[in-house]
Amino acid sequence: MLDTPAKTEAPGTEQELTDGFHLVIDALKLNDVKTIYGVPGIPITDFGRMAQAAGIRVLSFRHEQNAGYAASIAGYLTRKPGVCLTVSAPGFLNGLTALAHATTNCFPMILMSGSSEREIVDLQQGDYEEMDQLAIAKPLCKAAFRVLHAQDIGIGLARAIRAAVSGRPGGVYLDLPAKLFGQVMNAEAGKKSLVKVIDAAPAQIPAPAAIKRALDVLKSAKRPLIILGKGAAYAQADDDIKAFVEKSGAPFLPMSMAKGLLPDLHPQCAGAARSTVLKDADVVMLIGARLNWLLSHGKGKTWGEAPKRFIQVDIEPKEMDSNVEIVAPVVGDIGSCVHALLEAMGGNWPAAPSDWLDTVKKKRDDNVAKMAPRLMNNNSPMDYHGALGVLRTIIKERPDAILVNEGANTLDLARGVIDMHQPRKRIDVGTWGVMGIGMGYAIAAAVETGKPVLAVEGDSAFGFSGMEVETICRYKLPVCVVIFNNDGIYRGTDVNSAGADPATTVFVKGSRYDKMMEAFGGVGVNATSPDELKRAVNAAMDSGKPTLINAVIDPAAGSESGRIGNLNPQSALKKK
Ligand SMILES: Cc1ncc(C[n+]2csc(CCOP(=O)(O)OP(=O)(O)O)c2C)c(N)n1
Ligand SMILES: [Mg+2]
């Protein structure tokens, strides 16, 4: 019996025993961890089996990186640490990219990896999968811990949970040496050693003076702008955020994963007038958004000539003045800060200046009108706009579906075209613009929310996690993957002028990714027109069956690096 503690054999000394395996499982359950994403192997295979038998959902992936990305987005969607479980050295390293990604994106996640014999690792005597994992993880995560004794498992997990979710969330590494699992201790003492983490992410209330300062600056604005980041979406303070933005009357700009926090079709949404509002605003209030490269660091051409004053709401004090001066820092958790702002605004907050609102509205309406006919074309092979026009309508009709999105053109154009209608329904490449999140995110989104998932993937992007379509089929998840197949990275038309090998950015022409899904019992469709695409996606979303649609896109339709081609360094030498 896996769940029942063992008893010692010696007569008269009988006592209930537990061990490291059971203590880790009991500690996870005590803290409400319901799902583990991982890949089995020495030394954690039995642990995974026992956790499954004890009622934790243990989802086995084909590669740890995908399990890690799944855990990271589970953390984002639930505000609880997503847990990824790996074997030592290579499995650990495969999970590490996702751990770093979680930290960079401020998602709470715990990477739990088995590790080899400390004594042998430290003397570098060549143990099985030898690696000093704790040292390697440290610079890439928010905190890293190792548990050496069974009686410390409770405290170790409590520290990991707190570190992951409190303050600015992030990735935490928890090192579990093989020996720990087999360590035995008295069951009663073991039970007492476990810790249920109380108030894991305590509210951080902003100072009243900071709230007043921020509102004074906002009130003085002639051309106010509110930028919502994924930190605001993470906070799950949706009603207060909406009320605050609406009361302010200011145009708002959602960062990619904040789309839908207020609907993209909201009258104050300035998504379709991005360049105008960034250039011309005089007061910019950042809520859970950082002034990193995605916002051109708050300076330069994107931000225009007009002087700007920034208000920033963030849980991390060090975020303030990171790129430009912040005249009104508001430090606290987003929920508490926005609530305090809303209360302090009182009943007679002045309307935002109407000439500014008119300017933004006009720009937005012009841009939307310009785009509209392109989204309705029924070209075959498809271009991005024809295909995305269809997907936009499908998401409008199914606003609770979760949209996963990665690629270059496939990402940048989908972000612009597909309106989001509800909070936390768009999950994508995040701060790093990383390829490979696709299938891991899709799996975790389906598992954590129970909602249908639409994953819109560049053909290159998909390749990073494509093998997980087997995982999707195995767990029968309601995931529809649409691959924008333009035969390559950015475009499928590059030619290698120097020799016989294909150019570096092109793939096998006319690949049929749909066959991959069929290989595992899912539904595969090859779609060559927007009409076919629409039928296939709707059928998939209705049936909930794992589906992969190979959407054939004109190989010449994309542009280098999508919308961020300007970031490519240029050679000063003349091109040969
Ligand atoms: C882990 C990682 N490796 C490489 C890249 C560089 N990169 C950016 S976009 C991209 C793929 C773009 O091609 P695709 O997904 O087919 O989208 P398309 O532009 O063709 O629609 C790559 C490889 C990255 N962002 N992340
Ligand atoms: Mg492509």
Side-chain angles (χ1 to χ4, degrees):
M1 288 289 289
L2 293 166
D3 269 328
T4 318
K7 291 186 182 189
T8 45
E9 301 284 316
T13 62
E14 194 168 275
Q15 59 163 321
E16 299 262 334
L17 295 179
T18 186
D19 63 11
F21 287 106
H22 291 88
L23 285 166
V24 177
I25 291 165
D26 292 346
L28 289 169
K29 287 183 74 171
L30 184 65
N31 285 289
D32 239 13
V33 172
K34 298 198 162 54
T35 310
I36 295 175
Y37 301 89
V39 176
I42 297 170
I44 48 96
T45 314
D46 270 346
F47 172 76
R49 289 188 183 116
M50 291 179 193
Q52 190 173 47
I56 295 179
R57 194 162 189 203
V58 184
L59 296 166
S60 271
F61 282 63
R62 305 300 292 260
H63 190 294
E64 292 88 351
Q65 187 173 106
N66 306 318
Y69 285 139
S72 77
I73 207 66
Y76 169 76
L77 291 169
T78 63
R79 307 187 85 213
K80 288 187 195 154
V83 176
C84 175
L85 177 68
T86 80
V87 303
S88 24
F92 156 77
L93 287 174
N94 283 345
L96 203 52
T97 311
L99 187 70
H101 166 83
T103 307
T104 298
N105 284 275
C106 318
F107 299 158
M109 167 184 170
I110 299 173
L111 175 66
M112 291 196 327
S113 296
S115 60
S116 303
E117 298 276 336
R118 281 251 48 81
E119 294 81 352
I120 304 180
V121 172
D122 287 349
L123 279 171
Q124 298 170 35
Q125 294 172 312
D127 200 5
Y128 169 72
E129 296 192 346
E130 175 179 296
M131 178 171 278
D132 186 356
Q133 295 167 198
L134 188 72
I136 289 166
K138 259 184 194 159
L140 297 171
C141 58
K142 198 177 159 193
F145 305 105
R146 177 188 292 133
V147 183
L148 290 176
H149 303 295
Q151 65 265 31
D152 294 331
I153 286 172
I155 288 292
L157 193 77
R159 300 213 73 191
I161 291 171
R162 272 196 195 282
V165 296
S166 62
R168 172 177 278 179
V172 174
Y173 176 60
L174 188 62
D175 193 87
L176 302 177
K179 260 193 195 166
L180 177 75
F181 291 104
Q183 276 181 32
V184 172
M185 69 182 285
N186 174 278
E188 194 50 40
K191 196 170 173 199
K192 281 203 189 112
S193 73
L194 300 184
V195 176
K196 182 163 174 61
V197 177
I198 310 293
D199 196 12
Q204 289 183 223
I205 312 290
I211 294 292
K212 180 171 183 317
R213 192 188 299 120
L215 289 178
D216 286 348
V217 175
L218 186 63
K219 201 181 251 178
S220 72
K222 294 199 170 57
R223 296 179 303 281
L225 171 67
I226 294 172
I227 299 183
L228 301 170
K230 63 179 174 305
Y234 174 82
Q236 298 196 14
D238 307 336
D239 292 346
D240 272 358
I241 290 173
K242 183 162 183 283
F244 171 73
V245 172
E246 288 181 343
K247 200 165 189 179
S248 79
F252 73 90
L253 188 65
M255 300 302 287
S256 196
M257 282 175 57
K259 276 166 69 79
L261 190 43
L262 280 81
D264 281 337
L265 298 176
H266 191 283
Q268 285 166 258
C269 183
R274 186 178 195 270
S275 48
T276 300
V277 289
L278 291 184
K279 222 166 350 96
D280 295 339
D282 64 345
V283 168
V284 179
M285 180 174 208
L286 301 150
I287 305 182
R290 293 169 287 182
L291 279 175
N292 57 20
W293 71 280
L294 287 157
L295 284 170
S296 308
H297 305 281
K299 53 200 168 191
K301 227 170 73 194
T302 313
W303 290 89
E305 300 296 316
K308 290 195 201 303
R309 287 177 300 158
F310 286 97
I311 305 164
Q312 184 157 26
V313 182
D314 201 287
I315 198 160
E316 176 56 63
K318 291 203 298 285
E319 190 58 45
M320 307 299 155
D321 307 322
S322 62
N323 285 269
V324 296
E325 181 192 26
I326 302 298
V327 301
V330 181
V331 174
D333 70 280
I334 303 283
S336 300
C337 290
V338 172
H339 189 74
L341 286 162
L342 194 54
E343 296 242 295
M345 278 169 122
N348 54 348
W349 187 262
S354 61
D355 54 340
W356 170 236
L357 299 182
D358 290 346
T359 307
V360 176
K361 181 176 180 322
K362 181 164 179 336
K363 189 74 196 168
R364 190 190 66 199
D365 293 350
D366 284 356
N367 284 342
V368 168
K370 243 185 262 167
M371 175 102 85
R374 301 181 67 187
L375 299 176
M376 281 155 56
N377 85 67
N378 200 32
N379 295 343
S380 176
M382 294 180 269
D383 58 27
Y384 285 93
H385 287 88
L388 287 169
V390 162
L391 299 182
R392 181 170 83 142
T393 306
I394 289 171
I395 289 293
K396 190 171 183 188
E397 291 166 355
R398 303 170 188 269
D400 66 341
I402 299 207
L403 179 70
V404 176
N405 190 200
E406 61 175 337
N409 294 279
T410 304
L411 175 89
D412 291 344
L413 295 169
R415 181 176 50 234
V417 169
I418 302 180
D419 293 320
M420 302 309 298
H421 308 274
Q422 295 179 10
R424 292 172 299 282
K425 299 297 184 188
R426 184 188 157 84
I427 49 181
D428 65 27
V429 298
T431 311
W432 271 344
V434 67
M435 298 298 113
I437 49 91
M439 296 306 101
Y441 272 25
I443 290 166
V447 166
E448 300 289 341
T449 69
K451 303 286 184 206
V453 176
L454 177 64
V456 179
E457 302 272 314
D459 51 338
S460 165
F462 171 73
F464 287 75
S465 67
M467 193 63 214
E468 303 296 346
V469 295
E470 188 276 329
T471 313
I472 292 170
C473 289
R474 186 166 13 112
Y475 293 106
K476 301 184 176 57
L477 297 172
V479 174
C480 173
V481 184
V482 175
I483 296 184
F484 276 35
N485 186 359
N486 64 346
D487 293 344
I489 299 173
Y490 314 139
R491 303 161 77 91
T493 51
D494 253 15
V495 176
N496 169 13
S497 56
D501 279 342
T504 56
T505 57
V506 301
F507 298 149
V508 170
K509 295 210 180 309
S511 296
R512 291 286 303 274
Y513 293 97
D514 48 312
K515 302 277 185 199
M516 283 176 70
M517 197 56 132
E518 287 176 354
F520 303 110
V523 177
V525 180
N526 189 49
T528 58
S529 71
D531 281 346
E532 280 174 21
L533 177 62
K534 181 172 155 185
R535 271 197 298 277
V537 177
N538 275 322
M541 303 296 271
D542 286 340
S543 73
K545 282 191 192 142
T547 300
L548 192 154
I549 300 162
N550 184 58
V552 182
I553 303 284
D554 179 355
S559 54
E560 178 94 358
S561 302
R563 290 260 166 94
I564 54 172
N566 60 310
L567 298 180
N568 284 307
Q570 300 295 319
S571 168
L573 305 180
K574 233 178 151 192
K575 271 193 187 147
K576 292 217 174 100

